[in-house]
Amino acid sequence: MGHAASVLIVVVTVMSWLTAWTDWHSYQVLKAYESGPTRDPAKLDQADLISGSLGIVAAVALLASAVVFIVWLWRVRWNAEMFCRGQHRFTRGWVLGSWICPVVNLWYPKWVVDDIVAASDPRTPPQTLDLRPIPGTPLVWAWWLTWVVGLVLDNVAQRSVLDGAPKVDELLTNAAMSTVSAVSTTAAAVLAILVIQRVNELQTVRAWTPWWAQAPAQPQQNSPFGPL
């Protein structure tokens, strides 16, 4: 599932760049239409058709990527609960709910992944009672920040062209924001793939013995946790 999610994440990244291209194309067509000596409405319709068609494909790719990624996340969460006794911040249902609940979806999914990484890390004693004191990793932080930036910019860009007939300056702003969003999405995609690989590696390396079958570890003076 991790490999499938990684492939679909790459597809979503490609679609984000194609979306940015269609936004620039729509801007150029409308600009030529308003400033040219002759006006051809067919070109505007063609630009709208291209933009709408790619938008549908991008939405389908994003949905498929999200479903596969959440299935993968559900599975590694299940494994993490077996590896370590530690209390996660949220119940397992939030593996899905954290992504679809408004507002909290800006930070809850990161906490879900933070707890999975902490519980999957072989350096985390299996009898650890609480995962929250374990600091988040720079990799997860970087992935989540770039994802949120790209998500916010994409939403703002899409709403800017929904308020009636778009103007040339609005399409220019939209195209610029779509490009920045594509850059951020690309960075987030690379980091998401690295997160998937990292979690898979941690769970592969860690001994497949449930926490309840292992003796409590001796208390340590210095925390063994560092950046992953």
Side-chain angles (χ1 to χ4, degrees):
M1 295 303 297
H3 293 311
S6 298
V7 171
L8 288 171
I9 287 172
V10 172
V11 174
V12 171
T13 304
V14 172
M15 293 308 304
S16 69
W17 282 104
L18 288 177
T19 299
W21 173 81
T22 60
D23 290 338
W24 282 108
H25 178 66
S26 297
Y27 160 70
Q28 293 291 347
V29 170
L30 183 59
K31 181 181 178 181
Y33 177 82
E34 292 189 351
S35 61
T38 59
R39 297 185 175 184
D40 185 3
K43 292 184 177 180
L44 293 178
D45 294 337
Q46 183 184 42
D48 289 340
L49 178 61
I50 294 174
S51 178
S53 300
L54 282 177
I56 294 174
V57 176
V60 172
L62 180 60
L63 178 60
S65 175
V67 169
V68 175
F69 181 82
I70 290 174
V71 171
W72 168 81
L73 198 61
W74 183 279
R75 291 185 175 186
V76 295
R77 165 63 184 265
W78 188 286
N79 293 341
E81 292 178 2
M82 184 202 72
F83 287 133
C84 183
R85 182 181 182 180
Q87 181 68 40
H88 291 249
R89 291 179 177 89
F90 310 111
T91 60
R92 199 178 300 148
W94 280 100
V95 171
L96 170 62
S98 63
W99 293 92
I100 61 178
C101 290
V103 182
V104 298
N105 61 2
L106 294 178
W107 70 88
Y108 271 29
K110 177 191 176 297
W111 285 351
V112 170
V113 175
D114 278 337
D115 289 344
I116 291 173
V117 172
S120 303
D121 190 347
R123 295 173 295 178
T124 304
Q127 298 293 341
T128 299
L129 297 179
D130 192 356
L131 300 173
R132 287 175 295 182
I134 301 175
T137 66
L139 176 59
V140 176
W141 267 111
W143 159 64
W144 190 247
L145 289 176
T146 52
W147 164 255
V148 170
V149 169
L151 180 66
V152 171
L153 288 177
D154 185 64
N155 286 336
V156 172
Q158 294 303 320
R159 290 185 179 184
S160 66
V161 296
L162 295 178
D163 300 331
K167 300 179 181 179
V168 173
D169 57 342
E170 292 176 342
L171 288 182
L172 176 60
T173 301
N174 178 69
M177 294 185 67
S178 294
T179 303
V180 176
S181 176
V183 172
S184 182
T185 299
T186 302
V190 172
L191 293 168
I193 293 173
L194 292 177
V195 168
I196 291 172
Q197 292 176 347
R198 185 57 173 161
V199 173
N200 286 348
E201 289 172 0
L202 290 173
Q203 295 197 349
T204 301
V205 171
R206 183 153 188 160
W208 280 79
T209 305
W211 62 264
W212 57 85
Q214 302 186 50
Q218 296 297 324
Q220 300 181 10
Q221 297 298 324
N222 297 322
S223 173
F225 306 107
L228 296 180

